[in-house]
Amino acid sequence: MRVRLIALGLALFGGAAVAQVMNHDLPVQAIMATAVNPGALAFWAGGNDPPENESKAEAAARWDEAVKGAQVMQAQGEALKQYSRPGRWNEFAQMMIDVSKEGEAAARAKDAEKAFEIGGRLYDSCNGCHKTYIPPVPRPQ
């Protein structure tokens, strides 16, 4: 179940990333493409079901990357505030920072259940911003 939920989130998140490329200025585009998206993916991998036959060393590396991903999300939330827009932009960025701080603690504790729950809230902060600031792509008729 977890893998499917994360896969759905990644598909939605990836689609939103494409829309961001088309609708945001270059600094925000670069933040999203080079830091936020990879950071979120690394964090979400911590709370996901581990790969089959994962060794202890591989699990440790996955959790280390989840911690780094949460730290990236915190730093990039601060960076996104520098490109503030009217409305809830800074609120969404702060939500990403706050949730990622909780995520860092869960990843350090290697608490998969907590990381999974926090990962959902992290997705909600991203998705809320995307819904607000990325115009829908018109569908061909």
Side-chain angles (χ1 to χ4, degrees):
M1 172 66 175
R2 240 186 231 173
V3 172
R4 281 184 273 179
L5 182 59
I6 295 297
L8 174 64
L10 293 178
L12 293 172
F13 198 69
V18 170
Q20 286 171 335
V21 168
M22 297 183 331
N23 294 304
H24 280 302
D25 54 334
L26 291 177
V28 171
Q29 178 185 349
I31 290 169
M32 292 295 173
T34 64
V36 172
N37 290 342
L41 292 174
F43 173 72
W44 285 329
N48 202 1
D49 290 328
E52 195 171 318
N53 300 319
E54 181 180 60
S55 70
K56 288 183 180 184
E58 290 168 330
R62 180 171 52 88
W63 282 112
D64 287 346
E65 289 302 310
V67 168
K68 290 176 191 171
Q71 292 169 336
V72 165
M73 298 297 287
Q74 293 167 54
Q76 297 312 309
E78 293 293 346
L80 287 170
K81 287 181 180 181
Q82 296 175 9
Y83 300 97
S84 186
R85 289 160 169 72
R88 299 180 61 198
W89 180 270
N90 285 354
E91 180 183 337
F92 287 126
Q94 189 61 50
M95 187 184 314
M96 186 172 79
I97 295 164
D98 295 342
V99 171
S100 295
K101 285 179 183 178
E102 291 180 57
E104 181 181 354
R108 285 188 187 285
K110 297 177 178 64
D111 185 337
E113 291 300 317
K114 189 70 173 168
F116 183 75
E117 181 269 322
I118 292 167
R121 289 191 286 130
L122 178 61
Y123 174 79
D124 290 342
S125 73
C126 297
N127 195 38
C129 189
H130 296 173
K131 285 181 176 179
T132 304
Y133 293 97
I134 301 173
V137 177
R139 295 179 185 218
Q141 304 246 351

